[in-house]
Amino acid sequence: MNINLEAQKLNLEAEKLILEEELNSIGVQDKDDPANWSVVPGEREQNIESEDDLADRMEDLIEREATEVPLELRLKEINHAITKINANNYGFCELGGEEIEED
């Protein structure tokens, strides 16, 4: 395999920082399990005065969760890839151990 692992690792770490910033903007990291995130309400006023306010708040949470889930999954993939690079087994099949073609 002719891939530059150090360059790949730097790219992954840069993407990881971006994902963590995005996740921090819509949620909080679980203290007991740092790989998991939970969405939090936006900057809307805490007082819910009507059913419309409640509906707006629920819509905001649903939108945030729809954004959070794919970001969290991508972050987990990146962390896994970085772990494999650090263990010198990046680019090898996890089931059979064969080298994966660079394509």
Side-chain angles (χ1 to χ4, degrees):
M1 178 178 292
N2 293 330
I3 191 169
N4 182 338
L5 289 181
E6 196 57 39
Q8 183 69 20
K9 184 178 176 182
L10 289 173
N11 289 336
L12 289 168
E13 288 173 342
E15 186 176 353
K16 177 181 175 176
L17 289 175
I18 292 168
L19 288 169
E20 288 174 338
E21 285 178 25
E22 290 181 40
L23 284 164
N24 276 321
S25 74
I26 60 171
V28 293
Q29 196 171 20
D30 186 327
K31 289 179 175 51
D32 296 325
D33 185 1
N36 289 317
W37 296 74
S38 299
V39 294
V40 293
E43 296 298 322
R44 297 178 187 235
E45 188 174 310
Q46 294 296 325
N47 297 330
I48 299 175
E49 297 178 8
S50 70
E51 288 182 14
D52 288 340
D53 292 339
L54 180 59
D56 288 344
R57 178 170 228 155
M58 292 306 297
E59 183 179 352
D60 180 55
L61 284 172
I62 290 168
E63 289 174 3
R64 285 170 172 266
E65 187 162 304
T67 301
E68 181 266 337
V69 170
L71 293 176
E72 183 178 334
L73 289 174
R74 179 65 183 146
L75 182 59
K76 286 178 182 179
E77 291 171 347
I78 288 172
N79 284 330
H80 183 68
I82 291 170
T83 299
K84 289 182 66 96
I85 289 172
N86 290 338
N88 293 319
N89 60 6
Y90 182 84
F92 295 92
C93 176
E94 291 183 4
L95 298 176
E98 303 91 17
E99 187 172 349
I100 299 171
E101 294 182 23
E102 194 171 330
D103 296 354

